[in-house]
Amino acid sequence: GGVFYTIGICLLLKLFAVVLQQKMIGEAFGSKSVRIRYLVGINSVELRAMRKVLSQPGLCFDKVVILIGGPDWPTSVLTGIMKLPLIPMLIGTLPVVFLIAPCCVAGSMLVKASEGGIYSSLSTISILIAFLVQSGALLAAAHYIAKMAVAHKDELAAEPPDAEVLMLEQKDARKRKIRSDFQSWAPVAASHESQGTEGLHPIWKTGHIMALILMSASSWCFQILGSSCFVTFDVTDSIDDKLDGNVFNLVTDFGKIPCYAFLFATLYLMTYSIVLGCTVSHSMDRQVQGTYHSHRNSNQVGVSRQCNQILLS
């Protein structure tokens, strides 16, 4: 009974997510927000192929496969941007119950595994089945998208791109180029695509190496010495009884060392990412100002030449 109850709750959550993403994100903001259409990848061939499949009338097999096997983002958001009717999308999503059920059964088997016996083996088998079902649905959705992209390659390529999204893509491409130049470990020479940089500062290089060592060492420590880093805790165990009511007691005194090392490396990378983002934004602003002044100076030179020609004549 509990498994069927859980399956029903999960199905309702999935349908609610479809409604939220289609109506509240895709339909309400997709046509207005350039950023959402950009994040969906509206100009990509894959999204154009997906859009062509989803725009087919009725609930054909490949359409249903994409609705249940494709990721919620961008599938449900795309249906909202296309302003497709909600009820058929919900009906086409109902077979997702066949993906939900194996996961719920696997969870129940994990709970029963603590009793030992056949449940221990069933838990492993059920997890494998759930993984295969989820992976198979995703691969099937990718197959039908690729099939449509190949079958209508010229037609999809000829579709006009979203102009606003295209401008944002070009801006982000310049941003990625500048970001790549600043992260280069060797100096980057100036060219028509780049202003040139001295590359990554030695201090940042040292920090990167230290962060790499700390993260690698802590990860290997968790994998090899996991039993020494963490207290054994099963799904059916109680935090109050097993960990004295404190979830942080899950980590042993020895395990705190790799945890702190990983945390330090993560904080360093977050700091580096913030500094790099500010540097890239400042560089792009300087490029925009330089382009503006260049055009302004060229216009002033053109006006001066015209005035001189009028005076000489």
Side-chain angles (χ1 to χ4, degrees), residues 30-68:
S31 58
K32 302 175 184 178
S33 173
V34 181
R35 176 59 63 175
I36 288 180
R37 299 201 303 274
Y38 168 75
L39 292 174
V40 169
I42 201 71
N43 284 339
S44 65
V45 176
E46 293 78 12
L47 260 292
R48 293 178 181 180
M50 184 187 294
R51 182 170 56 193
K52 191 170 183 64
V53 174
L54 294 175
S55 61
Q56 297 178 107
L59 292 172
C60 49
F61 183 75
D62 53 353
K63 185 175 182 178
V64 173
V65 168
I66 291 177
L67 287 175
I68 66 174

Side-chain angles (χ1 to χ4, degrees), residues 111-235:
V111 174
K112 300 290 288 184
S114 59
E115 300 179 7
I118 192 174
Y119 291 113
S120 179
S121 300
L122 287 177
S123 65
T124 304
I125 296 173
S126 59
I127 290 174
L128 178 61
I129 293 175
F131 170 76
L132 292 176
V133 170
Q134 293 283 342
S135 302
L138 182 60
L139 290 175
H143 165 73
Y144 284 108
I145 293 173
K147 183 179 179 181
M148 180 64 73
V150 172
H152 299 82
K153 179 180 179 181
D154 296 334
E155 178 185 347
L156 296 174
E159 290 184 10
D162 187 316
E164 293 178 325
V165 175
L166 184 60
M167 291 178 61
L168 186 57
E169 288 174 347
Q170 294 172 347
K171 179 181 178 181
D172 277 7
R174 294 195 301 271
K175 187 175 182 179
R176 287 194 299 271
K177 173 60 178 171
I178 296 173
R179 191 181 186 93
S180 176
D181 290 344
F182 277 111
Q183 292 186 101
S184 174
W185 282 55
V188 178
S191 64
H192 66 283
E193 296 181 351
S194 174
Q195 292 183 337
T197 66
E198 296 181 357
L200 199 62
H201 194 277
I203 294 179
W204 290 119
K205 290 181 181 180
T206 304
H208 279 29
I209 295 173
M210 290 180 61
L212 174 63
I213 294 174
L214 290 176
M215 280 193 166
S216 299
S218 57
S219 297
W220 279 107
C221 189
F222 293 146
Q223 290 292 327
I224 299 175
L225 303 174
S227 59
S228 299
C229 295
F230 304 102
V231 175
T232 302
F233 191 86
D234 295 324
V235 177

